[in-house]
Coordinates of all heavy atoms in Angstrom, one line a residue:
Chain A
V5 N -1.2 -33.6 4.3 CA -0.2 -33.4 3.3 C 1.1 -34.2 3.7 O 1.5 -34.1 4.9 CB 0.2 -32.0 3.0 CG1 1.4 -31.9 2.0 CG2 -1.0 -31.2 2.5
E6 N 1.6 -35.0 2.9 CA 2.9 -35.7 3.2 C 3.8 -35.5 2.0 O 3.5 -35.9 0.9 CB 2.7 -37.2 3.4 CG 2.3 -37.6 4.7 CD 2.0 -39.1 4.7 OE1 1.0 -39.5 4.3 OE2 2.9 -39.8 5.2
M55 N 0.9 -28.2 -6.0 CA -0.2 -28.1 -7.0 C 0.3 -28.4 -8.4 O -0.4 -28.2 -9.3 CB -0.8 -26.7 -6.9 CG -1.7 -26.5 -5.7 SD -2.3 -24.9 -5.5 CE -3.7 -24.9 -6.5
D75 N -1.2 -39.2 -4.7 CA 0.1 -38.5 -5.1 C -0.2 -37.5 -6.2 O -0.5 -37.9 -7.3 CB 1.1 -39.6 -5.6 CG 2.5 -39.1 -5.7 OD1 2.6 -37.8 -5.8 OD2 3.4 -39.8 -5.8
M87 N -8.5 -31.1 -8.2 CA -7.9 -30.9 -6.9 C -7.5 -29.4 -6.6 O -7.8 -28.8 -5.6 CB -6.6 -31.8 -6.8 CG -5.8 -31.7 -5.5 SD -4.5 -30.4 -5.5 CE -3.4 -31.0 -6.7
A102 N -3.6 -14.2 -9.5 CA -4.7 -15.1 -9.2 C -5.9 -14.6 -10.1 O -6.8 -15.4 -10.4 CB -5.0 -15.0 -7.7
Y125 N -25.3 -20.4 -11.5 CA -24.6 -19.1 -11.4 C -25.2 -18.3 -10.3 O -24.4 -17.6 -9.6 CB -24.9 -18.4 -12.7 CG -24.3 -17.0 -12.8 CD1 -22.9 -16.8 -12.9 CD2 -25.1 -15.8 -12.7 CE1 -22.4 -15.5 -12.9 CE2 -24.5 -14.6 -12.7 CZ -23.2 -14.4 -12.8 OH -22.7 -13.2 -12.8
K126 N -26.5 -18.3 -10.1 CA -27.1 -17.4 -9.0 C -26.6 -17.8 -7.6 O -26.2 -17.0 -6.9 CB -28.6 -17.6 -9.1 CG -29.3 -16.3 -9.4 CD -30.8 -16.4 -9.3 CE -31.3 -15.4 -8.2 NZ -32.8 -15.4 -8.2
V139 N -14.3 -11.7 4.1 CA -12.9 -11.2 4.2 C -13.0 -9.7 4.4 O -12.0 -9.0 4.3 CB -12.1 -11.5 2.9 CG1 -11.9 -13.0 2.7 CG2 -12.7 -10.9 1.6
R162 N -7.4 -9.2 -0.1 CA -8.5 -9.9 0.5 C -9.4 -10.6 -0.5 O -9.9 -11.7 -0.2 CB -9.3 -8.9 1.4 CG -8.6 -8.5 2.7 CD -9.5 -7.7 3.6 NE -9.6 -6.3 3.1 CZ -9.0 -5.3 3.7 NH1 -8.2 -5.5 4.7 NH2 -9.1 -4.1 3.1
C171 N -14.2 -22.4 -2.2 CA -14.6 -23.8 -2.2 C -14.2 -24.5 -0.9 O -14.1 -25.8 -0.9 CB -14.0 -24.5 -3.4 SG -14.7 -23.8 -4.9
L176 N -4.6 -24.6 2.5 CA -4.3 -23.3 1.8 C -2.8 -23.1 1.7 O -2.1 -23.2 2.7 CB -4.9 -22.1 2.5 CG -4.7 -20.8 1.9 CD1 -5.4 -20.6 0.6 CD2 -5.1 -19.6 2.8
K198 N -5.8 -16.1 9.8 CA -5.7 -17.0 11.0 C -7.2 -17.3 11.4 O -7.5 -18.4 11.7 CB -5.0 -16.3 12.1 CG -3.6 -16.7 12.2 CD -2.8 -15.8 13.3 CE -3.2 -16.2 14.7 NZ -2.2 -15.5 15.6
R245 N 14.9 -21.3 20.6 CA 16.2 -22.0 20.8 C 16.7 -22.8 19.6 O 16.6 -24.0 19.5 CB 16.1 -23.0 22.0 CG 16.1 -22.3 23.4 CD 15.9 -23.3 24.5 NE 14.8 -24.2 24.2 CZ 13.5 -23.9 24.5 NH1 13.2 -22.7 25.0 NH2 12.5 -24.7 24.2
T251 N 20.0 -21.0 11.3 CA 18.8 -20.5 12.0 C 19.3 -19.5 13.1 O 18.7 -18.4 13.2 CB 17.9 -21.6 12.6 OG1 17.8 -22.6 11.7 CG2 16.6 -21.0 13.0
L254 N 20.5 -16.3 11.3 CA 19.4 -15.6 10.7 C 18.7 -14.8 11.8 O 18.4 -13.6 11.7 CB 18.4 -16.5 10.0 CG 17.2 -15.8 9.4 CD1 17.7 -15.0 8.2 CD2 16.2 -16.9 9.0
T258 N 18.7 -10.6 12.3 CA 17.5 -9.9 12.1 C 17.3 -8.8 13.1 O 17.3 -9.1 14.3 CB 16.3 -10.8 12.1 OG1 16.5 -11.9 11.2 CG2 15.0 -10.1 11.8
H260 N 15.8 -6.5 15.7 CA 14.6 -6.5 16.5 C 14.6 -5.5 17.6 O 15.7 -5.0 18.0 CB 14.3 -8.0 17.0 CG 15.4 -8.5 17.8 ND1 15.6 -8.2 19.1 CD2 16.4 -9.4 17.4 CE1 16.7 -8.9 19.5 NE2 17.2 -9.6 18.5
M263 N 17.5 -4.1 20.6 CA 18.9 -4.4 20.3 C 19.8 -3.3 20.7 O 19.3 -2.1 20.7 CB 19.0 -4.6 18.8 CG 18.9 -6.0 18.3 SD 19.2 -6.1 16.6 CE 19.8 -7.8 16.5
D264 N 21.0 -3.5 21.1 CA 21.9 -2.5 21.5 C 22.4 -1.8 20.2 O 23.1 -2.3 19.4 CB 23.1 -3.1 22.2 CG 24.1 -2.0 22.7 OD1 23.9 -0.8 22.4 OD2 25.0 -2.4 23.4
N266 N 24.6 0.4 19.9 CA 26.0 0.8 19.9 C 26.9 -0.4 19.5 O 28.1 -0.3 19.3 CB 26.5 1.3 21.2 CG 25.7 2.6 21.5 OD1 25.6 3.4 20.7 ND2 25.2 2.7 22.7
A271 N 26.2 -10.1 11.9 CA 25.8 -10.5 10.5 C 26.4 -11.9 10.2 O 27.4 -12.3 10.8 CB 26.4 -9.5 9.5
A275 N 27.3 -15.0 1.4 CA 26.0 -15.1 0.8 C 25.7 -16.5 0.5 O 26.6 -17.4 0.4 CB 25.9 -14.3 -0.5
E285 N 26.9 -32.0 0.6 CA 27.5 -31.6 1.9 C 26.7 -30.6 2.6 O 25.6 -30.2 2.0 CB 29.0 -31.2 1.7 CG 29.2 -29.8 1.2 CD 29.1 -29.7 -0.4 OE1 28.6 -30.7 -1.0 OE2 29.5 -28.7 -0.9
R291 N 29.9 -20.5 5.3 CA 29.6 -19.3 6.1 C 29.5 -19.6 7.6 O 29.2 -18.8 8.4 CB 28.2 -18.7 5.7 CG 28.1 -18.5 4.2 CD 26.7 -18.1 3.8 NE 26.4 -16.7 4.2 CZ 25.1 -16.2 4.1 NH1 24.1 -16.9 3.7 NH2 24.9 -14.9 4.5
P304 N 25.2 -37.0 6.8 CA 24.4 -38.1 7.2 C 22.9 -37.6 7.4 O 22.6 -36.5 7.1 CB 25.0 -38.6 8.4 CG 25.7 -37.4 9.0 CD 26.1 -36.5 7.9
H318 N 27.0 -31.0 14.0 CA 27.5 -30.5 15.3 C 26.5 -30.0 16.3 O 26.8 -29.5 17.3 CB 28.6 -29.5 15.0 CG 29.8 -30.0 14.4 ND1 30.5 -31.1 14.9 CD2 30.5 -29.6 13.3 CE1 31.5 -31.3 14.1 NE2 31.6 -30.5 13.1
D320 N 23.9 -29.4 19.0 CA 23.6 -30.1 20.3 C 22.1 -30.2 20.5 O 21.5 -29.2 20.8 CB 24.2 -29.3 21.4 CG 24.0 -30.0 22.8 OD1 23.4 -31.1 22.8 OD2 24.3 -29.3 23.8

Side-chain angles (χ1 to χ4, degrees):
Chain A
V5 175
E6 277 175 280
M55 285 173 87
D75 193 343
M87 182 269 294
Y125 179 72
K126 240 184 119 176
V139 297
R162 282 190 285 257
C171 298
L176 180 68
K198 265 173 73 169
R245 286 177 308 280
T251 317
L254 181 68
T258 304
H260 54 81
M263 267 182 152
D264 183 356
N266 300 312
E285 74 278 17
R291 307 174 75 188
H318 293 307
D320 178 7

